[in-house]
């Protein structure tokens, strides 16, 4: 199967490549940039973006997008689907500043992959969550985005300090595993 991946984010492509290692799926990068909706759930954002990206791309194979967000409990889920906008404006430091006086540091990452299938106009979504907490300071140089301030549940280090753990348990890895199950089922 061949799928086009519409994304502007090289880090996502790299993490997908790793999670799909040894799996029979050809992914081709697509450079279309369609606006994202303001839905709070990244799954809704991804679902709509897949259809829009397919229409903008003018290809005849399935088109995949991926939307991710960091949902912080004591900020009522913010920045969530606005994680990209927030980090561009304020950085991870901005999140730490915003949370300076907050003791409840619980947060989770959510990734939703959405694929538009042109043969029947269907959109399928595959999602993964990773629970954890926001650290008190920035630590580590691996990964990208909020990885230096996110400590996964039952761990001491941030994702940026322990990239091997991220590869094993991340939101993205779980979403890709769901996608693999779907493709395996389709094949059998
Ligand atoms: P697209 O072109 O694929 O939309 P994007 O960078 O705009 O790329 P998202 O909207 O899905 O991607 O993600 C918003 C931001 O959330 C992203 O720019 C990162 O800063 C952050 N982010 C996403 N996945 C992450 C991860 O696994 N670890 C840390 N931060 C992440």
């Amino acid at each position: 199967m061949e799928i086009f991946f519409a994304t502007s984010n090289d880090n996502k492509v790299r993490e997908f490549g790793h999670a799909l290692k040894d799996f029979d799926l050809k992914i081709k990068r697509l450079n279309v940039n369609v606006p994202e909706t303001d839905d709070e759930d990244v799954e809704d954002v991804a679902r709509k973006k897949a259809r829009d990206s397919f229409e903008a791309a003018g290809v005849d194979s399935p088109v995949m997008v991926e939307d991710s967000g960091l949902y912080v409990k004591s900020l009522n889920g913010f920045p969530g689907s606005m994680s990209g906008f927030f980090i561009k404006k304020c950085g991870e430091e901005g999140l730490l500043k915003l949370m300076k006086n907050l003791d409840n540091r619980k947060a989770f990452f959510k990734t939703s992959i959405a694929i538009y299938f042109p043969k029947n106009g269907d959109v399928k979504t595959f999602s993964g969550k990773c629970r954890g907490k926001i650290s008190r300071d920035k630590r580590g140089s691996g990964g990208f985005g909020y990885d230096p301030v996110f400590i996964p549940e039952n761990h001491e280090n941030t994702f940026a300090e322990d990239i091997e753990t991220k590869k094993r348990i991340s939101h993205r890895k779980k979403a890709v595993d769901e996608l693999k199950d779907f493709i395996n089922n389709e094949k059998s």
Side-chain angles (χ1 to χ4, degrees):
M1 196 193 317
E2 178 186 84
I3 294 187
F4 284 95
F5 187 10
T7 180
S8 62
N9 190 320
D10 296 342
N11 296 297
K12 284 185 183 179
V13 176
R14 185 172 32 80
E15 291 192 2
F16 259 73
H18 185 85
L20 283 168
K21 197 162 46 102
D22 304 327
F23 192 77
D24 186 20
L25 176 66
K26 229 188 266 161
I27 291 198
K28 282 191 176 169
R29 182 94 177 256
L30 197 61
N31 276 321
V32 290
N33 217 344
V34 301
E36 288 178 2
T37 56
D38 60 2
D39 294 279
E40 287 190 17
D41 189 340
V42 290
E43 190 169 334
D44 296 324
V45 176
R47 183 178 285 284
K48 292 171 189 163
K49 202 175 168 187
R51 194 180 303 271
D52 292 347
S53 298
F54 173 79
E55 279 163 14
V59 293
D60 48 18
S61 297
V63 170
M64 170 172 85
V65 299
E66 187 249 64
D67 203 55
S68 296
L70 176 66
Y71 293 78
V72 179
K73 189 161 188 187
S74 56
L75 300 177
N76 296 323
F78 186 79
S81 62
M82 284 174 274
S83 294
F85 178 75
F86 183 82
I87 206 165
K88 246 180 246 149
K89 293 283 178 196
C90 308
E92 318 88 275
E93 299 85 357
L95 182 65
L96 295 181
K97 256 191 220 159
L98 200 60
M99 296 184 65
K100 199 164 166 243
N101 298 316
L102 297 176
D103 289 331
N104 183 348
R105 316 286 300 177
K106 279 187 188 166
F108 65 84
F109 270 120
K110 181 174 177 180
T111 284
S112 288
I113 298 167
I115 305 179
Y116 180 86
F117 291 93
K119 71 169 190 239
N120 53 8
D122 208 13
V123 179
K124 291 246 173 297
T125 58
F126 311 92
S127 296
K129 259 188 197 182
C130 182
R131 294 183 194 283
K133 62 182 180 190
I134 304 301
S135 57
R136 289 274 169 192
D137 45 18
K138 235 175 117 171
R139 300 195 322 245
S141 55
F144 68 102
Y146 297 92
D147 285 340
V149 298
F150 182 81
I151 302 171
E153 207 165 59
N154 303 321
H155 289 78
E156 303 279 310
N157 292 323
T158 64
F159 266 163
E161 288 176 304
D162 182 1
I163 203 67
E164 289 310 313
T165 294
K166 185 179 187 194
K167 286 179 189 165
R168 266 191 302 109
I169 67 164
S170 81
H171 40 299
R172 185 161 292 108
K173 165 76 165 61
K174 288 174 188 161
V176 171
D177 283 348
E178 260 200 19
L179 168 63
K180 284 181 176 173
D181 287 346
F182 169 78
I183 293 173
N184 282 334
N185 278 338
E186 290 287 294
K187 281 183 190 158
S188 59

